[in-house]
């Protein structure tokens, strides 16, 4: 819409700080808009070929919208109609994106709560390059070994959706154009430009169960000034999402959910489905007393547990009184049952992070002369994310011997918090075994003392400044650009942790001469300060019976700090080279300097107490965490060439259009040396309306600071033990696996505890790592039939082969590499077993020994149909249909010569994914309906179907909808419903939490109000 002429007022606005004040005040009641010229509307004097070219992701040269590489787009309108408040989660609607390495959904990565990374094709967030307006963006990722992902992924939660014009994703390509990390592809967030007006949006969301509330407010204001020579745009964004724990959805993902566990003996399969929830019988969160340093109950029968006269194992109830332990349904594992009185471990995790985000962005540009332009960006944000629950501090024989950190507690039978009756029961049990009666053992999950909650505050500061211009050499036109980009991201995490030494002091309660319950004399406080330094006795029996004074004495505030910086300078010149029949061949030549650094400080608590020999001892339940720091820089030279061989107006038979392109980049990395990345491709249209396209790209990923420099630290891991009866028949050659397990002395039908209980080990970085290398290609077609105006169908085959992949070997990888090859393999020395065959430790690191293969068909169909074409009045409106589809043929990875590990077919990566959207618009009314389909998947695509009672997770379909109404030309209301039919998880419920978030959350409502001037 036209704007009033305010030339006189504009004369007072100069490119100074004051322009931000005078230019943001709306001076006319025009609807807010983006003032970019549409590609279809050519200014006077501009030919049709130039008018139909734009700069798209994957090239620095303006090109036609049909490119040699497949590109998908998510527009601001689509984001708004779905009600997304987190840009990263909006990408999950696209079938090509896998579950991100970090998101607000599910358990949060250590020291990174609330962050959201893109994960194209589920190849890992570290292999998806994310840009903003074609520029790199500083990463917020944690560089600790315990971080969510490796690499330097961008936190998309730091980008306000209201500021976004569109998100373009180019498959495979990007490395020769932008550099490292673009192995899967490149995500480019393109912001609104030349925004004119004022827009205020507010929304409120809530689930059908009345929880998960979200409050969102955004302001976007922009104004052109100096007669259109400049623009300044300000965005302020606030979002408050109330979080949920697994216990809030207990029947879906928590302690009462259906689960697949070890089958009971006598079945032909090794895994069966149980209802009632996975409950550990090794401990409870109220405490289980024992006569020895062992387990209270195994396989539903008393092991070392205290029993009553009827032989029932006893546990403390919430009030701290002994009561019979109720067995649930017995499983094939001695460690857990289905239901019963055991510890409902799945309740103690995070489902949705509790987040609060405040973000401000300032964008501006100004034409200094007719041929020189300035542009700039300023980003400031503070995001808070809280992981609401995690596994607690345990006391169990599974982790250590009694009296050691996390081992069973040793309790005096004279403990004054014991009732007389319970004391006598315990003493009688001890006497019955001929044991000393002055002490007993207690296993416990201390959820009332240590919740696992932590809070991360992420602060972003980013500046982008650039000059660009144009010049001519004869009839040839050239453009140049110089951009300087600096970003700084800091993350600080705070948590309340149990301090082992003070915990033991407080548990050792006695009665003094005055009859008061106090800490036993002679104790020494931990070197790390707890909230209170005064020892207060702790009632360990039952749940929630500890005094606040005792909790303050046994817990301490722990802090970590992460600092990431990025400096990026890019300069290029591009323009016309030679005239070809189809137009000018264009080229780009440029240089880029990049420097990145990362530093993680675990803080004094997590670092642990320094010992005389240089080692460290943990203050709490986690192993000591080492600091990580490092930096690198690169000098990069790049070039690009695009040649329009034949254009439509050349009238060449069977060649309506023919374009070829190529790009190359040489990178001199300070740590990994030199590498050349290149790409080549083209598009060919035999007739108008049909375009064939293809591309080959050699891309790379340089190792991240964590992978290079992380010192050896203690970690914990579960592992699919190849010698366990549930995995003995898996692998490339089950016979070799079984023979090696037998030769190692492990019995048939062996049950490994490593599959259900974490094993302590060590891991660290490797300064000798080299680049990951990928050879990738795509081939496809785009159909735009003239007989059906508005219809476009595209299909592309995507092939990615990654070699030299950096792999942090997991416990499963180490064991599989041993038993699937030979017992003389060096991998067999990387883990140890005790006399019972159980895994007790392992040692891992990073190596360039992985390979990963991805093969998929990606398709899109979109159709815009004005209903007047069907004979209806012109006021009948417009129907837009859009379908995106991905079928993955193969996706696996291999560590060295080990077993192929299938990725496709898991619940988080079903082979078939489809999103279909129908949008009807008529004047002031809009209605959107969307269906999302996930094909069937396997509980374990790397196992045998015969080993599972129900090996297949059923296909899943859910529907979302929204209705928008323009009350006036300035006011809009939109009502949205996700999961309209309240579809729950597909049977048998072994589904990924992030992929099936809407199924777990249930029906969700949102009301949005928008005011625009």
């Amino acid at each position: 819409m036209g704007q009033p002429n305010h030339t006189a007022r504009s004369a007072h606005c100069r490119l100074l700080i004051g322009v931000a004040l005078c230019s943001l005040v709306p001076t006319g009641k025009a609807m807010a808009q983006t003032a970019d010229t549409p590609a279809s509307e050519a200014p006077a004097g501009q030919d049709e070929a130039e008018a139909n070219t734009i700069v798209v992701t994957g090239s620095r040269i303006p090109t036609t919208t049909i490119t040699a590489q497949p590109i998908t787009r998510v527009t601001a309108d689509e984001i708004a109609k779905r009600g997304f408040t987190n840009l990263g989660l909006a990408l999950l609607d696209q079938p090509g994106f896998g579950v991100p390495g970090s998101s607000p959904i599910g358990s949060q990565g250590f020291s990174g709560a609330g962050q959201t990374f893109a994960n194209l094709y589920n190849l890992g967030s570290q292999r998806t390059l994310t840009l903003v307006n074609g520029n790199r963006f500083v990463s917020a990722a944690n560089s600790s070994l315990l971080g969510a992902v490796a690499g330097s992924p961008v936190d998309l939660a730091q980008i306000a959706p209201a500021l976004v014009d569109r998100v373009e994703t180019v498959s495979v390509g990007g490395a020769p154009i932008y550099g490292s990390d673009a192995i899967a592809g490149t995500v480019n967030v393109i912001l609104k430009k030349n925004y004119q007006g004022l827009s205020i949006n507010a929304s409120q969301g809530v689930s059908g169960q009345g929880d998960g509330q979200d409050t969102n407010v955004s302001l976007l204001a922009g104004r052109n000034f100096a007669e259109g020579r400049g623009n300044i745009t300000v965005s302020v964004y606030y979002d408050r999402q109330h979080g949920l724990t697994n216990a809030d959805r207990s029947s879906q993902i928590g302690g009462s959910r259906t689960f697949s566990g070890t089958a009971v003996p006598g079945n032909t399969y090794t895994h069966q489905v149980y209802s009632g929830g996975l409950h550990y019988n090794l401990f409870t969160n109220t405490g289980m007393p024992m006569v020895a340093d062992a387990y209270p109950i195994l396989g539903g029968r008393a092991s070392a547990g205290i029993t009553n006269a009827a032989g029932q194992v006893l546990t403390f109830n919430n009030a701290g009184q002994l009561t019979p332990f109720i067995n649930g349904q017995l499983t094939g594992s001695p460690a857990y049952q289905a239901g019963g009185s055991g510890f409902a471990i799945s309740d103690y995790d995070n489902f949705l992070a509790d987040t609060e985000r405040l973000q401000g962005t300032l964008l501006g540009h100004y034409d200094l002369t007719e041929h020189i332009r300035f542009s700039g960006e300023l980003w400031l944000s503070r995001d808070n994310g809280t992981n609401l629950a995690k596994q607690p501090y345990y006391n169990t024989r599974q982790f250590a011997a009694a009296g050691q950190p996390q081992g069973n507690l040793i309790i005096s039978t004279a403990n004054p918090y014991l009732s007389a009756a319970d004391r006598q029961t315990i003493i009688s049990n001890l006497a019955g075994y001929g044991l000393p009666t002055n002490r007993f053992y207690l296993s416990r999950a201390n959820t009332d003392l240590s919740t696992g909650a932590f809070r991360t505050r992420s602060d972003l500061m980013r500046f982008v400044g650039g000059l660009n211009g144009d010049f001519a050499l004869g009839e040839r036109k050239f453009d140049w650009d110089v951009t300087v980009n600096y970003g700084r991201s800091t993350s600080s995490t705070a948590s309340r942790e149990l301090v082992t030494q003070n915990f033991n002091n407080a548990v050792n309660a006695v009665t003094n001469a005055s009859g008061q319950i106090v800490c036993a004399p002679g104790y020494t406080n931990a070197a790390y300060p707890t909230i209170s330094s005064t020892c207060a006795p702790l009632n360990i029996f039952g749940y929630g019976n500890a005094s606040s004074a005792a909790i303050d004495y046994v817990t301490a505030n722990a802090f970590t700090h992460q600092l990431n910086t990025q400096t990026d300078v890019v300069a290029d010149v591009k323009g016309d080279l030679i005239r070809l029949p189809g137009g000018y061949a264009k080229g780009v030549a440029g240089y880029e300097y990049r420097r990145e650094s990362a530093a993680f400080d675990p803080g004094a608590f997590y670092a642990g107490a320094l010992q005389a020999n240089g080692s460290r001892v943990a203050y709490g339940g986690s192993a000591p965490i080492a600091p990580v720091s490092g930096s690198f820089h690169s000098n990069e030279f790049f070039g690009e060439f695009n040649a329009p061989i034949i254009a439509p107006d050349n009238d060449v038979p069977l060649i309506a259009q023919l374009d070829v392109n190529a790009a190359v980049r040489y990178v001199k990395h300070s740590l990994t040396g030199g590498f050349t990345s290149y790409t080549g491709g083209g598009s060919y249209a035999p007739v108008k309306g049909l375009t064939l396209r293809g591309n080959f790209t050699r891309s790379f990923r340089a190792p991240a600071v964590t992978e290079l420099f992380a010192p050896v630290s203690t970690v914990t891991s579960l592992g699919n033990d190849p010698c366990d009866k549930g995995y003995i028949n898996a692998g490339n050659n089950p016979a070799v696996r079984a023979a090696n397990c037998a030769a190692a002395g492990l019995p048939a039908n062996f049950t490994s505890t490593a599959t259900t209980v974490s094993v302590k080990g060590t891991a660290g970085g490797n300064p000798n790592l080299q680049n990951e290398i990928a050879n990738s290609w795509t081939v496809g077609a785009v159909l735009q039939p003239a007989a059906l105006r508005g219809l476009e169908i595209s299909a592309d085959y995507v092939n990615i082969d990654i070699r030299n992949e950096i792999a942090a070997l997991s416990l499963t990888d180490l064991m599989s590499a041993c038993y699937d090859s030979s017992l003389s393999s060096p991998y067999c020395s990387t883990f140890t077993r005790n006399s019972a065959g159980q895994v007790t430790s392992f040692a891992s690191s990073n190596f360039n020994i992985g390979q990963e293969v991805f093969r998929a068909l990606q398709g899109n169909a979109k159709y815009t149909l004005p209903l007047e074409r069907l004979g209806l009045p012109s006021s009948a409106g417009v129907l837009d249909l859009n379908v995106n589809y991905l079928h993955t043929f193969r996706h696996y990875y291999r560590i060295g010569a080990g077993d192929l590990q299938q990725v496709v077919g898991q619940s988080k990566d079903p082979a078939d994914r489809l999103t279909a959207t129908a949008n009807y618009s008529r004047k002031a009314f809009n209605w959107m309906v969307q269906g999302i389909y996930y094909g069937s998947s396997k509980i374990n695509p790397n196992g045998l179907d015969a080993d599972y009672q129900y090996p297949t997770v059923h296909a899943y379909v859910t529907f979302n909808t929204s209705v928008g109404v323009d009350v006036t030309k300035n006011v809009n209301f939109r009502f949205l419903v996700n999961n309209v039919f309240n579809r729950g998880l597909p049977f048998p419920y072994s589904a990924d939490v992030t992929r099936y978030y809407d199924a777990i959350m249930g029906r969700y409502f949102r009301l949005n109000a928008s005011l625009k001037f």
Side-chain angles (χ1 to χ4, degrees), residues 214-290:
D214 177 79
T215 302
N216 182 275
V217 180
S218 66
L219 179 147
L220 184 65
R223 182 164 179 84
N224 297 322
F225 61 92
E227 299 179 330
R229 294 172 60 190
N231 175 273
I232 190 164
T233 300
V234 174
S235 168
V236 179
Y237 186 80
Y238 175 80
D239 184 79
R240 175 71 174 93
Q241 173 69 65
H242 293 268
L244 299 170
T245 68
N246 281 12
D248 293 316
R249 294 293 184 271
S250 187
S251 62
Q252 299 267 41
I253 56 172
S256 58
R257 67 180 176 91
T258 299
F259 69 97
S260 179
T262 305
V264 297
N267 287 304
T268 57
Y269 42 78
T270 59
H271 293 77
Q272 73 181 79
V273 172
Y274 299 94
S275 60
L278 189 155
H279 292 194
Y280 276 90
N281 47 248
L282 305 180
F283 40 75
T284 63
N285 62 356
T286 55
M288 298 186 72
M290 295 168 290

Side-chain angles (χ1 to χ4, degrees), residues 170-195:
V170 57
S171 300
V172 173
I177 309 300
Y178 305 113
S180 176
D181 301 342
I183 285 180
T186 303
V187 174
N188 189 14
V189 181
I190 300 172
L191 307 179
K192 290 182 170 71
K193 183 180 179 182
N194 291 330
Y195 189 82

Side-chain angles (χ1 to χ4, degrees), residues 357-442:
R357 294 177 285 145
L358 178 62
Q359 302 163 356
T361 307
L362 175 66
L363 309 177
H365 68 84
Y366 183 73
D367 296 349
L368 299 175
T369 71
E370 289 187 6
H371 300 287
I372 301 177
R373 294 167 289 276
F374 167 81
S375 62
E377 303 175 15
L378 170 63
W379 298 69
L380 298 171
S381 72
R382 171 162 291 180
D383 298 348
N384 291 293
T386 301
N387 185 89
L388 296 175
K390 216 171 183 68
Q391 292 190 40
Y393 185 109
Y394 291 103
N395 289 108
T396 171
R397 184 64 181 86
Q398 184 62 40
F399 291 144
Q404 298 298 312
Q406 293 198 292
N408 284 324
L409 293 169
I410 302 173
I411 307 292
S412 168
T413 52
N415 189 292
Y417 289 115
L418 278 174
S419 70
D422 291 342
R423 179 179 295 106
Q424 186 56 50
T425 299
I426 294 171
I427 289 174
S428 296
N429 271 255
L430 292 167
Y433 284 99
L435 298 172
T437 59
N438 63 330
R439 68 177 189 177
F440 65 99
Y441 300 87
L442 188 79

Side-chain angles (χ1 to χ4, degrees), residues 149 296 608:
V149 296

Side-chain angles (χ1 to χ4, degrees), residues 286 306 308 312-318 320-326 341 422:
T286 55
I306 299 293
N308 60 15
Q312 295 173 298
V313 175
L314 299 176
T315 184
F316 288 99
N317 61 18
N318 285 348
Q321 308 298 318
L322 287 178
T323 189
F325 181 95
I326 306 301
S341 298
D422 291 342

Side-chain angles (χ1 to χ4, degrees), residues 471-479 575-579 584-585:
F471 61 93
L473 292 177
E475 63 178 7
R476 291 173 173 80
K477 299 176 182 179
F478 293 87
D479 296 288
D576 303 333
L577 299 180
I578 58 173
R579 183 180 288 278
Y584 267 109

